[in-house]
Amino acid sequence: MNRQQKERLAQFQGITGADAGVASRCLEAAGWSMEAAIDVYYSNGMHLRGAYGPRIDKNAIQRLYKKYSAADGEENIGVEGISLLCSDLGVEPDDAVVLVLSWHLGAEAMCEYTRQGFEEGMVKLGCDSIDKLRAKLPTLRAELQDPPKFREIYQFAYVFSREKGQKIVQLDVALAMWDLLLPPSRWQHIEAWKEFLHTHHKRAVSRDTWNQLLDFIQATKPDFSNYDDSSAWPYLLDEFVEEMRKQQQQQQQPDPITQRAAAAALFLRNGPALTAAGMESQTVNFGDSGEVTMYEPASRELVLVFKDSGLSDGAGWATGPKRVPTLEVFVYTSEAPAELVDAWAPLSNGSSTAGLLADAVAGFASEDPLTVTCLGEGPAGGLAMLCGVWAAIEYPMANADVATFATPYQGFNPQFAWSFEQLVVLHHLWPFNIPAPVLPAGVDAATALPRTLLTATAAALKPLINKETLPVAVVLPNLPEFAPKDLQEPGKRTFEEIYSALGPDPNLPPEYQMPESDCPIMFCKTRFLLRGSCLGFRDAAELKGLPSVTLKDNKTNADAIAVWDNATDTAYLLWKYTEESRDWLTDAAGIQIEGFIEESEDRVEGREDTLLTLVDDPETHQGFTNQFRSLVLSPKSVESDMYAQLMILSGGKAPRRVACSGFSLGAALSELCGVWSAITWPSADVTVANQGGPIPGSKDFKLLFEALVGRAYKYAYRMDIVNSAPPLAWYKRVPATIWINDTQALLQDRPFFDFLDLSWDDHTCDTWTNPKPPPEGGYTITGYVPRLYNVTRPSIPAWFGVQALAWSGVAWMGARLLMQQQQSQADEGPRPECESCGGSGTVECWCSRWSDGDGGCSTCRGSGRMVCSSCRGGGTAVPIEARIVIRNERSDNFRQGR
C-alpha cells in the first residue's frame, strides 16, 4: 500500500468509522475512489457492522433502555430519558446528529423511543454501550453529507415532527426542523424561505411541500434562473420564487464589509425589532444620561450598544483630553476627550475593568464572551471606542471589535490610538451617519422583520462605503510610526542593543504595567492556535481530541488541518510549515499575482465581486496563492476541499468563529485564510495568529486584511529571517507584529535589519538542536511555542509609552515632567484652536506633495494625513515648548524629547 492509499484509508476510516479491514475492502472494490468506496460501504450495509464488528451484547442494550426509560417512569424513553442520553453522549438535544440517531432507532414521534426501535437500532449500529455510540457519532453526522442518506433522513423528519394523530406538521415545528436540516451552508435562502412562510403562508406545512422543497433546492440554481414556472411545483414554491426574483431585481447581495456595517446599524437603530424576534437583551443605565444595551445574538457573543444624549457633538473634545484610567496598566499616557472619560467613569472602577458594566455582563451572559462588539453612533461612538479597549483587557480570551458612525475623531492622543490598534481586533469608524433604510412598499420599519431591515439597511449603506471611506474607517489618522527614526534601520547595531533600546522601561512603576497572569491578553487566546499549527501535524494529541481532518494536495504539496469545536462553533484552520523541497519552491516564487479576491468570492453563491469596488485588486505571492488554491479555491477533490471537509466535520453548520494559524510558509497561508474566511462567512469572527511568517501580499491586500479581519497576531522571534521575506518593497506586512526574545514579548514591529544580518537559527517553532558537531553545531534553540507559553504579560515599548508623539525616544522621568507641564497648562483654561490644522490634530501628509497616488508613506500609513506639528495632534495651540535632554543609562546615546 503506497502513501496515497494509506492516506485515503485513514480518511475513509475517519468519515465512516469502519475498521481497517472493512475500509481496505471498500477502497479496493472502488478502485481507491473515496466517493465510490463510501457508496460501496453504505449500499452493501457494511455500516451496520453486525457481521463485521465485535459481537453485540443485547443484554447490555436492554440495560441501557431500562436506564433511559426509567428517567421518565414510562415504558418508552421520553423527554427526560432522551435528554439524559444526549448528556451522556456529550451533544445537545437540538444537534442534527440526534435526529440521525432517532432515524436509526426507528422513532415514530418526537421525543419518544420505543423498546423495539431502540434495541433493533442499536444492534444495527453495532453499539451496545454509550462509549461505542459516542464513537459512532462522527459516522452518523457524516450521513447528513451523503445525498441518498440525507434524503431519507429529511423525509423521516416530517413524520418524526408530527404530533400524534396529526397528518401535517405545524409551521413553527417545520421551521425549527428546517433550521436543523437546512442551515445556510446547505441552502443560502433558508432565512428568506422562513420569512416568506411567516409573512405569506402562516399555516401548517403539508408533506408534499416538505418533500418537494428538497427537490427544489437540488434542482434550482441559487439565482432561480433555471426555475420553470410551468413545472409541477407546489404553488407555495411558485410564490416564493416570484417574491425572491422581485427582491433580486431590487438589490444584490452586499459585500462582507457592507454586511457588517448593516448589522451594526441594525443594532443601533432597530434594537426593539431584534428583541421582538427573540434575541435576549438588557439595558443598563449609567451616569446622568448614558445607557448601554446588551445583546446576545449567539452563544458567547456579546454586543454592547452605547447611547448618551448628554454628550456634546464633539466640537470641544480636543480642548480637554484626559487620561483613560482603563489603559493605565497598558499605556498610562493614553488620553481621550475628558467628556467621554467622565461619561464612562460609572461603568468601571478607576483603572480596573471591574465595576458596573462587568457585573452587568456577568449577570446577563451565561459564559464569558468570546466576541465582544462595541457600537455607538455620533458622540456615543466615543464610548464604544473606550468599550473596545475595556473589553480586550476584561476578557482576554475574546476578540474585541468596534463599529461607530459619524463619531468625531478628536481628542484621542497617539498613545490611545496605538493602544486601540493593539487591543481591538477589528474596527470600522465610519465617517457618515446611518442612512434610513428604503423598505418595500407597505412595510413599516416598526413592524418589519430583522432580515428585511438588514437587507434594506445594507442597500442604503452600499453607496457610502467606497474606496474613499474605507481607509478612513480602518486606519487611525494619528498612529505613530512603528519606531523612533534612528532605530527604524539599525545598521550594524546588534539585536541586543536594539531590543534594549526599544523597551520595555525597567523603571516603570508597577501601577503602570499589566499584572502578570496565567491568561495574559493576546497570548492566552492564541496559544492553542500556535501550538496546534506547530505540533499538530506531528501529534494529533495537540488538537485536544476535537474532530479534525488532514488535507493535502500532492501537486502543490499544500498541507492543512481543519478542526471543529462544536461547543463554541469554532473552526480552527491550521497550515503546515515549509518542510519538503516543493515547499522551498513555493517560498521562492515571489511574483505577485491578481485574482485572489475574485476567486474567493466566486465560491460564495449569490455574491458578485463586490469587494473590488472598495479596493484595487490585491496582489498576493504567487507561490503562497497556488498552495492556498489547491486546498480552498480550486481543490481537485472533495478530500482536499477545505470547505467541504469543514462542513462534514460541523454537520453543515456555518462557523461563528474562525481561527487561522500557521508557522513559516503556513503563516503566510493563514493570512490568506483569514481574508477568505471573512469573505465566506461574513457573520463569523475571524482570528489570525501565526509565527515566523513571511509577507503574503501588497498594500491593497494589507488594507483589505485590516477591513475584513483587523489585526493579526504575528509573532517574530529575535532575528528570524523569514519574517522579513520576501525582502521586496511591494510586499506590505499586515498589522501587528509582536517581537519576542528569550523572556519578553514586545508589542513592537521589528526594525528593518539588513537581510543578511538576520538568522535561520531563530526560525523554529519548537525546541531544536543543531545536529552538527561543535563548534558549528551541538547547540539547542528554543523556538516560538515554548517561549510564548512562558509569557505572562505583554511588554510595552518604552520609547512610545512615555512620549506624546512618535519622535525619537524620551525617558520616563522626562515625560513625567512634560505631562506635569501640560496638566498645569490645562488647569489655566482651554487653549485656542490650532490655526494650522483647524483643531483636527492632523494635516495633509508630506507625501501628498510627491506621491503619485500609490497609497501614502509609513508616516501616514496610507491615510494621507499626518499629525499636526504645530499642536502635536492635540488640536489646540501650544504656547510653551519644553525641551528635555536626559542621558539613557542603558546606552551612550542621548535621547531627546519634546
Side-chain angles (χ1 to χ4, degrees):
M1 192 179 296
N2 60 34
R3 177 181 174 183
Q4 185 177 14
Q5 289 172 334
K6 289 180 180 178
E7 290 176 352
R8 294 206 171 184
L9 181 70
Q11 289 175 351
F12 184 92
Q13 289 183 271
I15 293 172
T16 64
D19 61 37
V22 173
S24 179
R25 289 200 298 275
C26 291
L27 285 164
E28 288 173 358
W32 292 92
S33 166
M34 182 64 69
E35 293 182 9
I38 291 174
D39 184 59
V40 169
Y41 179 73
Y42 286 108
S43 62
N44 289 281
M46 292 183 174
H47 62 293
L48 302 180
R49 296 189 60 174
Y52 302 92
R55 192 170 182 177
I56 299 301
D57 185 349
K58 293 185 178 180
N59 290 329
I61 295 175
Q62 291 172 0
R63 288 193 295 272
L64 285 175
Y65 183 83
K66 288 181 180 179
K67 171 185 176 181
Y68 296 117
S69 61
D72 294 276
E74 302 288 344
E75 172 62 22
N76 294 335
I77 299 175
V79 175
E80 295 300 325
I82 292 175
S83 177
L84 178 59
L85 173 62
C86 291
S87 177
D88 291 345
L89 292 173
V91 297
E92 295 295 326
D94 60 355
D95 192 317
V97 77
V98 178
L99 179 65
V100 181
L101 176 61
S102 299
W103 175 57
H104 280 283
L105 298 183
E108 297 177 356
M110 194 176 292
C111 299
E112 185 175 88
Y113 296 155
T114 65
R115 178 184 293 275
Q116 180 179 351
F118 183 86
E119 293 181 357
E120 289 180 357
M122 292 290 281
V123 170
K124 290 179 181 179
L125 288 171
C127 300
D128 54 15
S129 70
I130 288 299
D131 288 341
K132 288 182 181 179
L133 188 56
R134 189 184 301 111
K136 193 77 174 180
L137 291 181
T139 303
L140 300 183
R141 202 180 295 279
E143 290 181 354
L144 291 167
Q145 306 305 316
D146 177 68
K149 293 293 180 186
F150 178 77
R151 177 174 291 276
E152 291 184 57
I153 296 166
Y154 180 84
Q155 293 174 350
F156 157 79
Y158 186 84
V159 177
F160 179 72
S161 301
R162 293 183 305 193
E163 295 181 7
K164 286 188 176 181
Q166 298 294 316
K167 293 184 177 181
I168 57 177
V169 176
Q170 296 304 308
L171 178 59
D172 58 340
V173 178
L175 294 176
M177 196 58 69
W178 273 321
D179 268 336
L180 201 64
L181 290 166
L182 301 175
S185 56
R186 187 181 288 274
W187 188 37
Q188 69 183 71
H189 298 302
I190 182 61
E191 293 299 326
W193 169 249
K194 289 162 53 185
E195 184 173 331
F196 171 80
L197 293 179
H198 265 303
T199 306
H200 299 277
H201 188 57
K202 302 178 182 179
R203 296 191 300 276
V205 177
S206 70
R207 188 166 189 166
D208 183 52
T209 298
W210 177 274
N211 287 340
Q212 290 211 42
L213 178 64
L214 184 60
D215 296 328
F216 167 81
I217 293 170
Q218 295 173 343
T220 308
K221 292 182 178 179
D223 61 358
F224 309 107
S225 58
N226 66 335
Y227 183 77
D228 186 357
D229 298 329
S230 62
S231 297
W233 295 109
Y235 79 94
L236 201 57
L237 290 173
D238 289 335
E239 293 182 354
F240 174 66
V241 171
E242 181 181 356
E243 179 66 22
M244 292 300 292
R245 283 174 172 169
K246 286 180 182 178
Q247 293 184 19
Q248 287 177 347
Q249 289 173 0
Q250 294 173 356
Q251 58 205 4
Q252 62 182 2
Q253 185 179 357
D255 63 87
I257 297 172
T258 303
Q259 287 187 55
R260 277 190 172 272
L266 186 65
F267 279 103
L268 284 163
R269 291 289 184 89
N270 303 102
L274 297 170
T275 304
M279 187 180 296
E280 294 290 332
S281 66
Q282 182 178 319
T283 298
V284 177
N285 297 312
F286 62 93
D288 295 331
S289 54
E291 67 175 49
V292 53
T293 302
M294 303 177 290
Y295 296 90
E296 192 173 30
S299 175
R300 305 195 73 175
E301 292 183 23
L302 181 67
V303 176
L304 301 175
V305 176
F306 288 85
K307 296 181 180 179
D308 193 332
S309 59
L311 291 174
S312 67
D313 61 4
W317 282 7
T319 61
K322 193 172 185 179
R323 296 277 187 86
V324 180
T326 306
L327 290 173
E328 186 172 281
V329 297
F330 194 71
V331 177
Y332 71 95
T333 51
S334 298
E335 292 181 348
E339 186 178 359
L340 288 178
V341 176
D342 292 341
W344 176 271
L347 291 172
S348 59
N349 301 333
S351 61
S352 170
T353 55
L356 176 63
L357 185 53
D359 291 343
V361 171
F364 174 71
S366 54
E367 296 181 77
D368 278 353
L370 295 177
T371 304
V372 181
T373 303
C374 302
L375 306 175
E377 184 179 7
L383 295 175
M385 295 178 67
L386 296 181
C387 167
V389 297
W390 167 86
I393 296 173
E394 172 67 12
Y395 306 108
M397 287 296 291
N399 277 0
D401 300 337
V402 173
T404 66
F405 294 86
T407 298
Y409 188 82
Q410 299 179 42
F412 300 97
N413 71 350
Q415 287 93 329
F416 180 88
W418 184 88
S419 300
F420 186 85
E421 186 88 350
Q422 289 288 337
L423 293 170
V424 173
V425 175
L426 179 64
H427 68 266
H428 292 140
L429 311 183
W430 299 112
F432 46 75
N433 288 299
I434 300 173
V438 181
L439 295 167
V443 178
D444 181 17
T447 58
L449 292 173
R451 186 179 181 280
T452 301
L453 292 167
L454 182 66
T455 303
T457 302
L461 284 167
K462 183 65 181 172
L464 301 177
I465 299 176
N466 50 50
K467 289 185 177 180
E468 287 70 42
T469 58
L470 183 63
V472 175
V474 300
V475 180
L476 299 181
N478 63 333
L479 278 172
E481 294 188 65
F482 76 93
K485 289 188 178 297
D486 64 321
L487 298 177
Q488 290 181 15
E489 297 185 15
K492 292 303 177 183
R493 283 174 285 186
T494 65
F495 162 77
E496 287 76 14
E497 290 175 323
I498 298 301
Y499 202 91
S500 175
L502 288 172
D505 186 347
N507 299 315
L508 200 62
E511 62 267 27
Y512 294 146
Q513 300 181 47
M514 290 292 297
E516 293 187 307
S517 170
D518 293 333
C519 185
I521 59 171
M522 303 185 187
F523 311 110
C524 191
K525 65 182 177 182
T526 60
R527 282 170 174 166
F528 170 67
L529 285 171
L530 301 171
R531 190 176 184 91
S533 60
C534 173
L535 306 175
F537 290 91
R538 301 196 303 265
D539 184 1
E542 296 292 344
L543 305 180
K544 297 183 177 179
L546 296 172
S548 65
V549 61
T550 300
L551 301 94
K552 184 174 181 63
D553 181 84
N554 291 320
K555 184 175 181 180
T556 64
N557 208 46
D559 298 87
I561 299 175
V563 184
W564 177 253
D565 184 352
N566 199 56
T568 59
D569 291 342
T570 302
Y572 297 100
L573 307 180
L574 312 177
W575 301 86
K576 196 173 185 180
Y577 36 81
T578 302
E579 186 176 50
E580 301 182 21
S581 57
R582 280 173 292 181
D583 293 333
W584 292 105
L585 293 176
T586 294
D587 293 340
I591 299 172
Q592 288 187 346
I593 57 174
E594 296 181 340
F596 174 73
I597 298 304
E598 183 176 358
E599 291 179 51
S600 296
E601 293 198 311
D602 281 347
R603 294 214 71 188
V604 181
E605 293 182 351
R607 189 184 302 163
E608 302 293 330
D609 296 334
T610 48
L611 281 172
L612 297 183
T613 65
L614 305 183
V615 294
D616 293 330
D617 195 356
E619 295 180 327
T620 52
H621 185 286
Q622 182 182 44
F624 304 154
T625 305
N626 286 340
Q627 279 216 354
F628 191 80
R629 275 177 179 154
S630 67
L631 295 184
V632 179
L633 303 179
S634 53
K636 301 302 182 185
S637 66
V638 173
E639 293 81 15
S640 62
D641 187 332
M642 174 71 79
Y643 180 87
Q645 291 300 316
L646 184 60
M647 289 300 99
I648 290 173
L649 289 175
S650 71
K653 188 187 299 185
R656 299 294 302 182
R657 281 162 282 276
V658 183
C660 303
S661 184
F663 166 65
S664 192
L665 165 63
L669 298 180
S670 75
E671 293 176 23
L672 300 180
C673 169
V675 171
W676 169 76
S677 298
I679 291 172
T680 304
W681 299 291
S683 299
D685 188 52
V686 179
T687 301
V688 173
N690 57 49
Q691 48 199 333
I695 309 168
S698 64
K699 61 181 178 62
D700 293 308
F701 177 82
K702 174 180 177 291
L703 174 62
L704 193 60
F705 187 96
E706 291 181 271
L708 288 170
V709 180
R711 70 150 295 168
Y713 298 92
K714 294 177 59 66
Y715 296 94
Y717 180 50
R718 291 175 56 89
M719 300 287 277
D720 184 349
I721 192 171
V722 176
N723 291 108
S724 295
L728 304 170
W730 50 90
Y731 281 89
K732 302 298 181 184
R733 184 180 291 112
V734 305
T737 299
I738 301 173
W739 194 16
I740 59 177
N741 69 357
D742 296 340
T743 58
Q744 295 173 331
L746 190 63
L747 304 184
Q748 167 74 58
D749 276 344
R750 191 173 68 186
F752 300 114
F753 287 91
D754 188 286
F755 200 68
L756 297 178
D757 290 335
L758 300 173
S759 170
W760 278 108
D761 280 351
D762 292 333
H763 187 66
T764 178
C765 65
D766 196 9
T767 301
W768 175 78
T769 300
N770 190 318
K772 295 180 179 179
E776 292 84 2
Y779 53 86
T780 297
I781 300 292
T782 302
Y784 285 87
V785 170
R787 298 295 185 196
L788 288 170
Y789 268 79
N790 290 329
V791 173
T792 57
R793 62 184 172 193
S795 297
I796 309 300
W799 69 271
F800 171 68
V802 297
Q803 59 168 359
L805 290 174
W807 299 325
S808 59
V810 59
W812 177 72
M813 286 302 297
R816 288 293 295 266
L817 293 172
L818 177 58
M819 288 183 290
Q820 289 171 6
Q821 179 206 33
Q822 291 174 336
Q823 185 62 50
S824 66
Q825 290 174 351
D827 293 339
E828 295 170 2
R831 299 172 184 167
E833 186 179 86
C834 175
E835 296 181 359
S836 299
C837 65
S840 68
T842 64
V843 296
E844 188 176 48
C845 184
W846 292 319
C847 71
S848 62
R849 303 173 188 174
W850 47 259
S851 173
D852 58 1
D854 63 352
C857 63
S858 61
T859 298
C860 67
R861 293 170 64 100
S863 68
R865 306 287 296 178
M866 69 178 187
V867 174
C868 174
S869 60
S870 298
C871 66
R872 305 170 186 171
T876 58
V878 183
I880 300 176
E881 179 181 274
R883 185 174 183 86
I884 304 162
V885 180
I886 297 177
R887 188 175 183 84
N888 181 357
E889 296 178 356
R890 292 177 294 171
S891 77
D892 292 329
N893 299 323
F894 280 86
R895 296 186 173 190
Q896 296 183 347
R898 293 176 185 264

